[in-house]
Each structure stands twice: as C-alpha cells, then as structure tokens.
Amino acid sequence: MLRILQQNMFPYSLIQRDAVGLLFKVFLKNFEQEDTAVWKRNSGKDEDQIIQNQFTAYLCKAIGRRKFQFIRKQAVKNAHEVTGDLSEREISLVEEIDLLANLPPLAQLENQQLLTALLGLTERERYILLAHTFSDRGFSELAQELNSSYKAVSVAYCRAAKKVRLEMGGEPE
Amino acid sequence: MSFTKYLRAAKEGDRSAVDNIFALYEPLLMKEARIDGVFDEDLYQELRIILLNCIRTIRI
C-alpha cells in the first residue's frame, strides 16, 4: 500500500521517506474516523461546512503569507552565503575590511543590543536622537531642519530615548 | 462529531480535537511545505505553528 501511495500521489523522489510514512499514518487515520464529517466531500451548504470552509480559507491565507515570508528570508540568507571557493573568499575578506572603515557611524557601533534598539526606531526618530546626543544640536535647530516645531522634536526625542531604554532592558524613566 | 465542535474544543485547548484538526489539514500543510517541489521540513514546522495560531485566533 505504501508503494502505491508513493507511486500515485508522490512521484517526487526527493520527498523523504518519513514524510511519506507520516502521510500514510494520516491516511490510515482517515479510515478510522469515518464518523467525522470532515473527511466527506464538502458541498458548502451545511452551516458546519461553511464554517469549515471559512477556517480553511483563513488558514490558506495565513499559510500563503508565512510561506512568502519564509521564501524571501531564505533568499536573503542564500545571497549572504560565503562560497567554499578559497580564492573568492580571500577577495571577499579584503572587501569586508575596506567596507568596515567606510561604514557610517551607526554600523560601527560595537554594542549589538544598542544597535538593534536603534534599528528598531523610525528613521526620523533615529536622526533626532543621534543628532541631539552625538552632534550636540539643539531642538530648535533640528526643528527648523525637519520643518516641525520645537515641541514636536523634543517629544520625538523623548519617545525615541524611552524606546531605546526599554529595548535595552532598562526602566522607561 | 462535526468540524465546528472540533474547532470549538480545540480553541478551548482540547488536545485530541487539536490532533484531529491537524490530521485533517496535514495534506494541505504537506502540499504547501514544498519549495520548488522539494519538501522543506523547516517550512512544514512553521506552517504547523501557523495552523495552531489559526485555531487560536479564528472567531466563530
């Protein structure tokens, strides 16, 4: 029976054997639970079947989103993978050193926790926070540059500082 | 037992009802867990988590 399953339903040779085994178990379970309406063909007329269809649609949507996210993440990971070729690796190392020296000050931060906290902010908040703390620029000057009021900039600064403190595990005040 | 009853029980944390719903949606998850025709175990695991979340969050 397993062989029939393999031949008819999954012609892919790449699917692992345990996966087919799992499917087989599920298949057997179907026969055991024939009283559950869930295995019958769904006509979509019964109220119960409508709810089941709604749930399936809900699930399919969520699955689609997660799958898209997963594939994109994997593509990013693959793009950053270092090849096994030694000559290529040497070149990439040299490039990395050059890159580090030219990186903006934000990327040169060594405190990983602070860096992630800063990256969690919006661009505007980050700009205000860094400009005020590192470059010692006043709120009024920043407000003029960002086309907003003194109050708005100071509030944005306070919020950003609070977020960073929270992110780094400190007290909000 | 109807699907709605299973779903309600699963929402309340009945383990066997959750297992039943998992068994029901296993083929769908298996199908969706393939990338370019290759079964991906990590994705399969993620999708199972999604199914659990869906059971918890759906409003009936």
Side-chain angles (χ1 to χ4, degrees):
Chain A
M1 189 152 192
L2 186 63
R3 199 182 296 154
I4 294 167
L5 258 178
Q6 266 173 327
Q7 279 173 354
N8 293 349
M9 295 174 73
F10 286 94
Y12 313 95
S13 57
L14 285 165
I15 288 189
Q16 279 93 343
R17 217 184 309 140
D18 53 336
V20 177
L22 189 64
L23 194 79
F24 184 61
K25 252 186 261 167
V26 173
F27 201 66
L28 275 183
K29 217 173 171 184
N30 295 358
F31 285 121
E32 286 164 10
Q33 313 173 320
E34 263 184 293
D35 62 321
T36 64
V38 286
W39 299 108
K40 288 169 193 156
R41 183 167 275 278
N42 191 333
S43 64
K45 281 172 188 159
D46 194 356
E47 196 192 338
D48 186 53
Q49 291 179 336
I50 289 171
I51 286 181
Q52 189 183 347
N53 282 348
Q54 281 170 352
F55 180 73
T56 309
Y58 185 69
L59 178 69
C60 282
K61 195 86 184 172
I63 283 178
R65 283 206 196 105
R66 188 74 190 85
K67 199 175 169 185
F68 178 70
Q69 219 177 15
F70 186 87
I71 290 171
R72 209 172 45 183
K73 232 184 221 173
Q74 224 179 26
V76 170
K77 218 199 274 172
N78 288 345
H80 286 279
E81 214 163 66
V82 181
T83 55
D85 197 345
L86 204 68
S87 56
E88 270 186 45
R89 188 181 279 180
E90 270 176 345
I91 293 164
S92 73
L93 266 178
V94 171
E95 275 172 4
E96 235 171 81
I97 292 162
D98 285 339
L99 276 173
L100 262 179
N102 296 328
L103 276 176
L106 190 62
Q108 287 182 3
L109 279 176
E110 283 189 6
N111 189 337
Q112 191 60 40
Q113 212 180 4
L114 179 60
L115 185 63
T116 47
L118 284 174
L119 288 177
L121 301 174
T122 63
E123 201 169 329
R124 183 170 176 273
E125 282 175 332
R126 196 158 53 224
Y127 179 74
I128 291 172
L129 186 71
L130 294 181
H132 189 69
T133 49
F134 289 134
S135 313
D136 277 333
R137 293 166 66 190
F139 287 143
S140 44
E141 194 188 332
L142 283 169
Q144 250 180 11
E145 195 184 319
L146 295 168
N147 273 338
S148 74
S149 66
Y150 178 91
K151 190 76 185 166
V153 173
S154 76
V155 166
Y157 169 78
C158 287
R159 281 212 191 107
K162 200 170 168 182
K163 273 185 201 169
V164 170
R165 267 189 229 115
L166 271 175
E167 189 72 36
M168 295 185 70
E171 292 292 311
E173 289 305 321
Chain B
M1 202 147 87
S2 70
F3 179 77
T4 320
K5 278 181 191 161
Y6 273 122
L7 195 53
R8 288 230 165 84
K11 268 175 92 74
E12 281 159 20
D14 182 355
R15 185 64 196 272
S16 65
V18 173
D19 284 348
N20 261 320
I21 291 178
F22 264 95
L24 171 62
Y25 283 101
E26 203 81 67
L28 177 70
L29 298 187
M30 295 289 260
K31 190 190 93 182
E32 293 290 341
R34 288 208 302 262
I35 300 175
D36 299 331
V38 182
F39 181 74
D40 191 312
E41 281 174 341
D42 295 338
L43 181 54
Y44 179 63
Q45 194 60 27
E46 292 291 341
L47 297 188
R48 281 173 76 93
I49 295 169
I50 289 290
L51 176 53
L52 268 183
N53 279 344
C54 281
I55 291 171
R56 216 180 48 211
T57 55
I58 196 165
R59 280 173 294 180
I60 36 172

